[in-house]
mmCIF file of all heavy atoms in Angstrom:
data_model
loop_
_atom_site.group_PDB
_atom_site.id
_atom_site.type_symbol
_atom_site.label_atom_id
_atom_site.label_comp_id
_atom_site.label_asym_id
_atom_site.label_seq_id
_atom_site.Cartn_x
_atom_site.Cartn_y
_atom_site.Cartn_z
ATOM 1 N N GLY A 5 -21.465 12.188 8.762
ATOM 2 C CA GLY A 5 -22.115 13.534 8.939
ATOM 3 C C GLY A 5 -21.655 14.200 10.255
ATOM 4 O O GLY A 5 -21.410 15.307 10.261
ATOM 5 N N GLU A 6 -21.630 13.331 11.296
ATOM 6 C CA GLU A 6 -21.109 13.980 12.546
ATOM 7 C C GLU A 6 -19.667 14.401 12.495
ATOM 8 O O GLU A 6 -19.272 15.493 12.978
ATOM 9 C CB GLU A 6 -21.250 12.882 13.649
ATOM 10 C CG GLU A 6 -20.785 13.459 15.074
ATOM 11 C CD GLU A 6 -20.784 12.310 16.110
ATOM 12 O OE1 GLU A 6 -21.231 11.154 15.760
ATOM 13 O OE2 GLU A 6 -20.372 12.571 17.191
ATOM 14 N N ILE A 7 -18.789 13.587 11.909
ATOM 15 C CA ILE A 7 -17.404 13.891 11.735
ATOM 16 C C ILE A 7 -17.191 15.125 10.816
ATOM 17 O O ILE A 7 -16.386 16.052 11.130
ATOM 18 C CB ILE A 7 -16.654 12.728 11.059
ATOM 19 C CG1 ILE A 7 -16.484 11.538 12.135
ATOM 20 C CG2 ILE A 7 -15.267 13.089 10.594
ATOM 21 C CD1 ILE A 7 -15.932 10.338 11.568
ATOM 22 N N SER A 8 -17.930 15.269 9.729
ATOM 23 C CA SER A 8 -17.863 16.405 8.835
ATOM 24 C C SER A 8 -18.249 17.617 9.627
ATOM 25 O O SER A 8 -17.596 18.656 9.364
ATOM 26 C CB SER A 8 -18.752 16.054 7.649
ATOM 27 O OG SER A 8 -18.789 17.159 6.752
ATOM 28 N N THR A 9 -19.358 17.601 10.313
ATOM 29 C CA THR A 9 -19.740 18.824 11.066
ATOM 30 C C THR A 9 -18.812 19.192 12.072
ATOM 31 O O THR A 9 -18.472 20.472 12.156
ATOM 32 C CB THR A 9 -21.130 18.477 11.770
ATOM 33 O OG1 THR A 9 -22.108 18.154 10.747
ATOM 34 C CG2 THR A 9 -21.615 19.579 12.512
ATOM 35 N N ASN A 10 -18.209 18.321 12.811
ATOM 36 C CA ASN A 10 -17.247 18.643 13.906
ATOM 37 C C ASN A 10 -15.945 19.106 13.291
ATOM 38 O O ASN A 10 -15.380 20.065 13.899
ATOM 39 C CB ASN A 10 -17.055 17.427 14.841
ATOM 40 C CG ASN A 10 -18.143 17.229 15.741
ATOM 41 O OD1 ASN A 10 -18.920 18.094 16.019
ATOM 42 N ND2 ASN A 10 -18.310 15.991 16.143
ATOM 43 N N LEU A 11 -15.503 18.594 12.170
ATOM 44 C CA LEU A 11 -14.298 19.108 11.554
ATOM 45 C C LEU A 11 -14.472 20.553 11.087
ATOM 46 O O LEU A 11 -13.674 21.395 11.261
ATOM 47 C CB LEU A 11 -13.888 18.214 10.427
ATOM 48 C CG LEU A 11 -13.005 17.109 10.585
ATOM 49 C CD1 LEU A 11 -12.753 16.280 9.355
ATOM 50 C CD2 LEU A 11 -11.612 17.493 11.147
ATOM 51 N N LEU A 12 -15.614 20.771 10.561
ATOM 52 C CA LEU A 12 -15.982 22.189 10.038
ATOM 53 C C LEU A 12 -16.012 23.102 11.239
ATOM 54 O O LEU A 12 -15.709 24.188 11.109
ATOM 55 C CB LEU A 12 -17.346 22.123 9.167
ATOM 56 C CG LEU A 12 -17.677 23.356 8.479
ATOM 57 C CD1 LEU A 12 -16.577 23.831 7.576
ATOM 58 C CD2 LEU A 12 -18.898 23.149 7.701
ATOM 59 N N ARG A 13 -16.661 22.681 12.386
ATOM 60 C CA ARG A 13 -16.712 23.528 13.483
ATOM 61 C C ARG A 13 -15.394 23.927 14.050
ATOM 62 O O ARG A 13 -15.142 25.047 14.426
ATOM 63 C CB ARG A 13 -17.599 22.926 14.578
ATOM 64 C CG ARG A 13 -19.167 22.766 14.241
ATOM 65 C CD ARG A 13 -19.908 22.596 15.448
ATOM 66 N NE ARG A 13 -19.982 23.724 16.283
ATOM 67 C CZ ARG A 13 -20.309 23.769 17.561
ATOM 68 N NH1 ARG A 13 -20.735 22.709 18.225
ATOM 69 N NH2 ARG A 13 -20.398 24.863 18.263
ATOM 70 N N LEU A 14 -14.574 22.902 14.040
ATOM 71 C CA LEU A 14 -13.087 23.207 14.595
ATOM 72 C C LEU A 14 -12.445 24.224 13.631
ATOM 73 O O LEU A 14 -11.761 25.110 14.099
ATOM 74 C CB LEU A 14 -12.400 21.953 14.697
ATOM 75 C CG LEU A 14 -12.700 20.937 15.740
ATOM 76 C CD1 LEU A 14 -11.932 19.595 15.670
ATOM 77 C CD2 LEU A 14 -12.502 21.570 17.080
ATOM 78 N N ALA A 15 -12.653 24.053 12.339
ATOM 79 C CA ALA A 15 -12.120 25.011 11.418
ATOM 80 C C ALA A 15 -12.634 26.422 11.556
ATOM 81 O O ALA A 15 -11.912 27.440 11.468
ATOM 82 C CB ALA A 15 -12.347 24.506 9.989
ATOM 83 N N GLN A 16 -13.940 26.494 11.770
ATOM 84 C CA GLN A 16 -14.515 27.862 11.817
ATOM 85 C C GLN A 16 -14.248 28.600 13.154
ATOM 86 O O GLN A 16 -14.103 29.741 13.220
ATOM 87 C CB GLN A 16 -16.029 27.699 11.714
ATOM 88 C CG GLN A 16 -16.485 27.287 10.253
ATOM 89 C CD GLN A 16 -17.976 27.033 10.135
ATOM 90 O OE1 GLN A 16 -18.630 26.561 11.115
ATOM 91 N NE2 GLN A 16 -18.522 27.198 8.961
ATOM 92 N N LEU A 17 -14.142 27.748 14.320
ATOM 93 C CA LEU A 17 -14.041 28.344 15.584
ATOM 94 C C LEU A 17 -12.657 28.386 16.110
ATOM 95 O O LEU A 17 -12.319 29.170 17.019
ATOM 96 C CB LEU A 17 -14.946 27.619 16.567
ATOM 97 C CG LEU A 17 -16.396 27.625 16.282
ATOM 98 C CD1 LEU A 17 -17.213 26.693 17.254
ATOM 99 C CD2 LEU A 17 -17.002 28.950 16.253
ATOM 100 N N GLY A 18 -11.761 27.435 15.610
ATOM 101 C CA GLY A 18 -10.662 27.130 16.256
ATOM 102 C C GLY A 18 -9.464 28.209 16.136
ATOM 103 O O GLY A 18 -8.554 28.399 17.061
ATOM 104 N N ALA A 19 -9.467 29.066 15.184
ATOM 105 C CA ALA A 19 -8.413 29.925 14.903
ATOM 106 C C ALA A 19 -8.137 30.862 16.042
ATOM 107 O O ALA A 19 -7.002 31.040 16.487
ATOM 108 C CB ALA A 19 -8.665 30.723 13.602
ATOM 109 N N ALA A 20 -9.134 31.432 16.640
ATOM 110 C CA ALA A 20 -8.962 32.325 17.758
ATOM 111 C C ALA A 20 -8.896 31.625 19.109
ATOM 112 O O ALA A 20 -8.464 32.321 20.059
ATOM 113 C CB ALA A 20 -10.157 33.342 17.831
ATOM 114 N N LEU A 21 -9.126 30.376 19.121
ATOM 115 C CA LEU A 21 -9.189 29.648 20.343
ATOM 116 C C LEU A 21 -7.939 28.674 20.497
ATOM 117 O O LEU A 21 -7.958 27.851 21.383
ATOM 118 C CB LEU A 21 -10.508 28.877 20.479
ATOM 119 C CG LEU A 21 -11.742 29.789 20.426
ATOM 120 C CD1 LEU A 21 -12.969 28.976 20.248
ATOM 121 C CD2 LEU A 21 -11.754 30.671 21.589
ATOM 122 N N GLY A 22 -6.949 28.802 19.684
ATOM 123 C CA GLY A 22 -5.750 27.887 19.783
ATOM 124 C C GLY A 22 -6.049 26.571 19.340
ATOM 125 O O GLY A 22 -5.262 25.610 19.797
ATOM 126 N N VAL A 23 -6.912 26.152 18.513
ATOM 127 C CA VAL A 23 -7.187 24.890 17.943
ATOM 128 C C VAL A 23 -6.943 24.948 16.439
ATOM 129 O O VAL A 23 -7.630 25.657 15.773
ATOM 130 C CB VAL A 23 -8.618 24.368 18.214
ATOM 131 C CG1 VAL A 23 -8.850 23.006 17.720
ATOM 132 C CG2 VAL A 23 -8.817 24.457 19.783
ATOM 133 N N HIS A 24 -5.953 24.068 15.922
ATOM 134 C CA HIS A 24 -5.548 24.237 14.550
ATOM 135 C C HIS A 24 -5.688 22.851 13.926
ATOM 136 O O HIS A 24 -5.438 21.809 14.482
ATOM 137 C CB HIS A 24 -4.122 24.721 14.481
ATOM 138 C CG HIS A 24 -3.940 25.995 15.235
ATOM 139 N ND1 HIS A 24 -4.246 27.278 14.616
ATOM 140 C CD2 HIS A 24 -3.574 26.289 16.531
ATOM 141 C CE1 HIS A 24 -3.931 28.156 15.655
ATOM 142 N NE2 HIS A 24 -3.655 27.642 16.757
ATOM 143 N N LEU A 25 -5.940 22.819 12.547
ATOM 144 C CA LEU A 25 -6.057 21.633 11.822
ATOM 145 C C LEU A 25 -5.038 21.578 10.773
ATOM 146 O O LEU A 25 -4.576 22.519 10.094
ATOM 147 C CB LEU A 25 -7.419 21.573 11.136
ATOM 148 C CG LEU A 25 -8.724 21.583 11.991
ATOM 149 C CD1 LEU A 25 -9.981 21.572 11.116
ATOM 150 C CD2 LEU A 25 -8.701 20.318 12.900
ATOM 151 N N VAL A 26 -4.559 20.258 10.600
ATOM 152 C CA VAL A 26 -3.669 19.926 9.444
ATOM 153 C C VAL A 26 -4.377 18.708 8.744
ATOM 154 O O VAL A 26 -4.423 17.631 9.312
ATOM 155 C CB VAL A 26 -2.285 19.542 9.783
ATOM 156 C CG1 VAL A 26 -1.473 19.119 8.607
ATOM 157 C CG2 VAL A 26 -1.466 20.737 10.490
ATOM 158 N N ILE A 27 -5.004 18.996 7.515
ATOM 159 C CA ILE A 27 -5.796 18.060 6.838
ATOM 160 C C ILE A 27 -5.000 17.504 5.624
ATOM 161 O O ILE A 27 -4.559 18.329 4.843
ATOM 162 C CB ILE A 27 -7.131 18.581 6.247
ATOM 163 C CG1 ILE A 27 -7.950 19.299 7.478
ATOM 164 C CG2 ILE A 27 -7.894 17.540 5.621
ATOM 165 C CD1 ILE A 27 -8.358 18.327 8.492
ATOM 166 N N ALA A 28 -4.592 16.238 5.688
ATOM 167 C CA ALA A 28 -3.740 15.658 4.678
ATOM 168 C C ALA A 28 -4.380 14.509 3.984
ATOM 169 O O ALA A 28 -5.164 13.859 4.609
ATOM 170 C CB ALA A 28 -2.471 15.195 5.263
ATOM 171 N N GLY A 29 -3.928 14.296 2.798
ATOM 172 C CA GLY A 29 -4.527 13.108 2.031
ATOM 173 C C GLY A 29 -3.998 13.025 0.704
ATOM 174 O O GLY A 29 -3.447 13.968 0.027
ATOM 175 N N GLN A 30 -3.983 11.803 0.115
ATOM 176 C CA GLN A 30 -3.605 11.483 -1.328
ATOM 177 C C GLN A 30 -4.684 11.965 -2.195
ATOM 178 O O GLN A 30 -4.235 12.532 -3.318
ATOM 179 C CB GLN A 30 -3.444 9.958 -1.477
ATOM 180 C CG GLN A 30 -2.321 9.458 -0.724
ATOM 181 C CD GLN A 30 -2.081 7.837 -1.046
ATOM 182 O OE1 GLN A 30 -2.334 7.484 -2.152
ATOM 183 N NE2 GLN A 30 -1.670 7.143 -0.038
ATOM 184 N N ARG A 31 -5.875 11.877 -1.910
ATOM 185 C CA ARG A 31 -6.955 12.273 -2.819
ATOM 186 C C ARG A 31 -7.939 13.109 -1.952
ATOM 187 O O ARG A 31 -8.566 12.603 -1.028
ATOM 188 C CB ARG A 31 -7.685 11.084 -3.380
ATOM 189 C CG ARG A 31 -8.699 11.452 -4.473
ATOM 190 C CD ARG A 31 -9.317 10.190 -4.945
ATOM 191 N NE ARG A 31 -10.002 9.416 -4.040
ATOM 192 C CZ ARG A 31 -11.299 9.677 -3.652
ATOM 193 N NH1 ARG A 31 -12.011 10.700 -4.161
ATOM 194 N NH2 ARG A 31 -12.032 8.955 -2.747
ATOM 195 N N VAL A 32 -8.167 14.401 -2.341
ATOM 196 C CA VAL A 32 -9.108 15.237 -1.672
ATOM 197 C C VAL A 32 -9.817 15.940 -2.739
ATOM 198 O O VAL A 32 -9.479 16.966 -3.268
ATOM 199 C CB VAL A 32 -8.475 16.264 -0.673
ATOM 200 C CG1 VAL A 32 -9.424 17.103 0.061
ATOM 201 C CG2 VAL A 32 -7.526 15.557 0.237
ATOM 202 N N GLY A 33 -11.026 15.355 -3.167
ATOM 203 C CA GLY A 33 -11.749 15.919 -4.210
ATOM 204 C C GLY A 33 -13.156 16.246 -3.801
ATOM 205 O O GLY A 33 -13.693 15.960 -2.811
ATOM 206 N N SER A 34 -13.810 17.030 -4.692
ATOM 207 C CA SER A 34 -15.267 17.419 -4.404
ATOM 208 C C SER A 34 -16.186 16.220 -4.455
ATOM 209 O O SER A 34 -17.331 16.265 -3.928
ATOM 210 C CB SER A 34 -15.724 18.451 -5.455
ATOM 211 O OG SER A 34 -15.623 17.895 -6.765
ATOM 212 N N ASP A 35 -15.752 15.103 -5.041
ATOM 213 C CA ASP A 35 -16.531 13.926 -5.047
ATOM 214 C C ASP A 35 -16.759 13.320 -3.676
ATOM 215 O O ASP A 35 -17.620 12.485 -3.448
ATOM 216 C CB ASP A 35 -16.012 12.848 -5.967
ATOM 217 C CG ASP A 35 -14.567 12.474 -5.596
ATOM 218 O OD1 ASP A 35 -13.730 13.322 -5.365
ATOM 219 O OD2 ASP A 35 -14.349 11.201 -5.329
ATOM 220 N N LEU A 36 -15.973 13.711 -2.652
ATOM 221 C CA LEU A 36 -16.163 13.195 -1.301
ATOM 222 C C LEU A 36 -17.300 13.886 -0.575
ATOM 223 O O LEU A 36 -17.684 13.462 0.505
ATOM 224 C CB LEU A 36 -14.831 13.540 -0.501
ATOM 225 C CG LEU A 36 -13.580 12.685 -0.949
ATOM 226 C CD1 LEU A 36 -12.436 13.257 -0.058
ATOM 227 C CD2 LEU A 36 -13.843 11.230 -0.858
ATOM 228 N N GLY A 37 -17.966 14.942 -1.236
ATOM 229 C CA GLY A 37 -19.149 15.409 -0.633
ATOM 230 C C GLY A 37 -18.918 16.984 -0.333
ATOM 231 O O GLY A 37 -17.800 17.539 -0.244
ATOM 232 N N PRO A 38 -20.141 17.656 -0.092
ATOM 233 C CA PRO A 38 -19.965 19.103 0.171
ATOM 234 C C PRO A 38 -19.336 19.355 1.549
ATOM 235 O O PRO A 38 -18.799 20.555 1.652
ATOM 236 C CB PRO A 38 -21.521 19.456 0.220
ATOM 237 C CG PRO A 38 -22.255 18.206 0.624
ATOM 238 C CD PRO A 38 -21.510 17.119 -0.100
ATOM 239 N N GLY A 39 -19.175 18.407 2.435
ATOM 240 C CA GLY A 39 -18.483 18.754 3.656
ATOM 241 C C GLY A 39 -17.093 18.969 3.503
ATOM 242 O O GLY A 39 -16.429 19.802 4.095
#
């Protein structure tokens, strides 16, 4: 839960602040949860 919240905060706030995400994976589905 903490990881999910912090990743989402970086995604929401980071664009204007020079913090960028590259999220990669073999399997990225909705079954991993709403986060």
Side-chain angles (χ1 to χ4, degrees):
E6 179 186 358
I7 287 172
S8 177
T9 299
N10 285 335
L11 272 176
L12 188 57
R13 291 201 70 196
L14 289 176
Q16 291 174 333
L17 303 175
L21 301 170
V23 179
H24 307 276
L25 296 177
V26 176
I27 305 296
Q30 295 183 34
R31 186 180 65 84
V32 184
S34 57
D35 59 306
L36 295 177

